[in-house]
Amino acid sequence: MIEVDHLGLFIVAGLVLNLTPGPDVLYIVSQALRGGVLPGLVAAMGITAGCFVHVAAAALGVGAVLATSAMAFNALKWAGAAYLLWVGARLLWRRVPADQSAPSLATPVRTATTWQSVFVRGFVTNVLNPKVALFFLAFVPQFIPVQATDPTLTFVVLGVLFNLNGLLVGAAWALAASWLASNARVVQQSMHWLDRMAGVLFVGFGLKLALTDAPVR
């Protein structure tokens, strides 16, 4: 039986937290701006899949290891930081299209291979961030009653609910960014500058993650 304290508050808090800008939101928005709503939705699904990995890991006790082992936390932290820096560097050094008269934002991404790479990058960006695992360990248990008969099952159900809410928020970000791309000519004509801005932000997120201290045991 699923026992939850303040389910409504959990849902509202989850929606608010998922709206907070970060590497995940930036990735969804950048994909939607570049290729339209479908790449943005695929990016959101990749990130959500990564969140499911964190939920499963937390339920199996892996998240607790990250919370108590500085070595495990630092290993995942440096892998995640390196990946974010790599993504940022790719955006910073992306070549400007020779034909500036055809805005890249207006060209939808249709190939399955491209969608697969968008999904995988979103998935990896999320999975390699130990702060997401620690977030689930810190946030979800607050809504599980002390007397719960099966706290692990309750944790998984709440984690799934949080991730589904996150997918809805991600889809909303993708729709908003896609609408902006199709209705803002200035944005369309300045896509290479958006790449540079996104690159700087990803590098910043990577450096911030690299400088994050491991939890105190």
Side-chain angles (χ1 to χ4, degrees), residues 66-78:
L66 290 175
T68 57
S69 170
M71 182 179 296
F73 179 89
N74 286 329
L76 190 57
K77 177 188 77 172
W78 287 113

Side-chain angles (χ1 to χ4, degrees), residues 30-57:
S30 65
Q31 293 303 315
L33 284 174
R34 173 164 295 281
V37 65
L38 285 179
L41 292 175
V42 172
M45 288 187 285
I47 288 166
T48 301
C51 286
F52 277 112
V53 172
H54 286 295
V55 170

Side-chain angles (χ1 to χ4, degrees), residues 5 10 14 18 24 39 54 61 69 72 75 130 136-137 139 150 159 164-165 180 184-185 197 199 202 212:
D5 279 339
F10 174 83
N18 278 310
D24 292 348
H54 286 295
S69 170
F136 277 110
L137 283 175
F139 177 69
D150 194 342
L164 292 178
N165 285 338
L180 176 63
R185 187 173 182 80
M197 290 171 60
F202 267 110
T212 301

Side-chain angles (χ1 to χ4, degrees), residues 95-181:
R95 291 184 179 181
V96 179
D99 183 7
Q100 291 294 335
S101 63
S104 59
L105 282 174
T107 305
V109 179
R110 292 190 176 90
T111 67
T113 301
T114 303
W115 284 350
Q116 181 179 10
S117 65
V118 169
F119 180 93
V120 170
R121 286 199 299 269
F123 177 81
V124 174
T125 297
N126 190 276
V127 168
L128 291 181
N129 189 348
K131 295 173 71 175
V132 178
L134 297 180
F135 165 77
F136 277 110
L137 283 175
F139 177 69
V140 176
Q142 298 180 53
F143 298 89
I144 302 177
V146 177
Q147 70 276 12
T149 56
D150 194 342
T152 300
L153 178 59
T154 302
F155 183 96
V156 171
V157 171
L158 288 177
V160 169
L161 179 59
F162 181 90
N163 289 344
L164 292 178
N165 285 338
L167 180 59
L168 292 176
V169 173
W173 277 111
L175 288 168
S178 177
W179 179 88
L180 176 63

